[in-house]
Amino acid sequence: MTAHVGRDVKVEFALKSEGLPKPAAGDYKVLGMMRAKSLNTTWDTVDTTADKSPNFTKTSLLTFKNVEFSGDGVSYDDDVHNQEALELAAR
């Protein structure tokens, strides 16, 4: 897991419906007024252990990658901070 002080790392976001093309460079907005940010990546697994597993060892396969972003900061409704835009798009 990585954690950063809000002033050290810029967070940009662009939200679109799944069926639309990837966002263009001009579609991204900077998320402002954050004190701390963290990014955590984990993998889901499926148990593949069976009666013929070698040496009775538990085995598994990776299935899906989960990426979680979290942060805290001060809430402002100024357009320059893009907090309301993110909140409306995420609903």
Side-chain angles (χ1 to χ4, degrees):
M1 181 171 88
T2 57
H4 301 281
V5 175
R7 286 176 253 161
D8 293 343
V9 177
K10 177 171 65 171
V11 174
E12 295 179 315
F13 69 95
L15 302 174
K16 286 191 166 189
S17 297
E18 220 174 301
L20 296 175
K22 226 175 134 176
D27 294 335
Y28 288 87
K29 297 180 180 185
V30 176
L31 183 59
M33 298 306 291
M34 298 194 72
R35 286 191 288 249
K37 305 168 185 122
S38 68
L39 187 65
N40 189 22
T41 305
T42 58
W43 287 91
D44 285 343
T45 59
V46 175
D47 185 6
T48 58
T49 309
D51 58 347
K52 299 286 185 182
S53 294
N55 298 322
F56 303 103
T57 303
K58 185 174 181 173
T59 58
S60 61
L61 291 174
L62 298 176
T63 57
F64 294 98
K65 182 179 182 180
N66 297 306
V67 178
E68 179 182 294
F69 169 80
S70 64
D72 67 77
V74 182
S75 183
Y76 284 94
D77 60 2
D78 302 5
D79 287 342
V80 71
H81 303 305
N82 295 309
Q83 292 178 358
E84 278 193 353
L86 178 62
E87 182 182 349
L88 291 172
R91 287 185 185 174

